[in-house]
Amino acid sequence: MDEPRGAAVHDSGIGAVLLSARSLAEYRAMFALSDLALRQRLLDCPGGAASLTAEVNAAGGDARACDPLYAHLSADEFAARAQADADRGNRYVRDHPEQYRWGFFADPDDHHRHRRAALTRFTADRKAHPERYVPGELPCLPFTDNAFELVLSSHLLFSYADRLGFAFHRESIGELMRVTRGELRIFPLVTMGAVSYPYLEPLLAQLAECGITARVTDVDYEFQVGGNRMLVCTRRAG
Ligand SMILES: C[S@@+](CC[C@H](N)C(=O)[O-])C[C@H]1O[C@@H](n2cnc3c(N)ncnc32)[C@H](O)[C@@H]1O
């Protein structure tokens, strides 16, 4: 399939992909998740150090997280890296105030506290329930077809479009759709530098050719400026 021609996506200056730790409250807001949605069999990919899986299972739900770093780092190395990345991410937020809006988080201190609390919750759950944290790397996941009812993908695909190309996006979305029998939701649609992903239209056109319908939906959450939209993908009927 053709790749769109255009300028390279601007480097945000963040450096290596952050290993970040978002909470269930943040996921609820980013993905407009209802109580009903959270009762489905969920996959969080990439899971990073997010506490979604811990919190959903603690509330009686059924969630799994998948991330390549679950294979590559021991639990202690992982926690140390996530702590260092919480600090690095917070420094980036403080250094680029024009890219952020304060609302969900009151201020940069609140942002940092929130990430560290999610990391603490993640670390305890991963130690108690390692089976919930499955090593795997897009665009090829270690799950059977339709293994989940709802798949969530936060802060990888378009966030790091300065290094993850169009073909990776198309293949990864196809793979995330393979493992859900319901929806795939992706957030955000802006890069780390708070610039809209420029190839959304050709991407949606190519997904449509593969039988995947994708619609852009506004959400009631905006931390990165312009980062208040998610992509909801479903398989076209018939
Ligand atoms: C910014 S974190 C997002 C984590 C979590 N979703 C959140 O919102 O807090 C990005 C994650 O993507 C993971 N990652 C990097 N390349 C990946 C790939 N090819 N497939 C799946 N995950 C990947 C990294 O290990 C990292 O944990």
Side-chain angles (χ1 to χ4, degrees), residues 13 28 62 114 124 143 148 157 186 194 196 207:
R28 265 187 186 276
D62 181 359
H114 194 102
F143 303 110
F148 301 93
L157 293 177
I186 302 171
S196 289
L207 291 173

Side-chain angles (χ1 to χ4, degrees), residues 17-20 22 27 46-48 67-69 137-138 154-156:
V17 172
L18 285 167
L19 170 51
S20 53
R22 292 182 171 79
Y27 269 76
D67 197 289
L69 292 183
E137 183 160 2
L138 288 166
S154 139
H155 290 88
L156 175 67

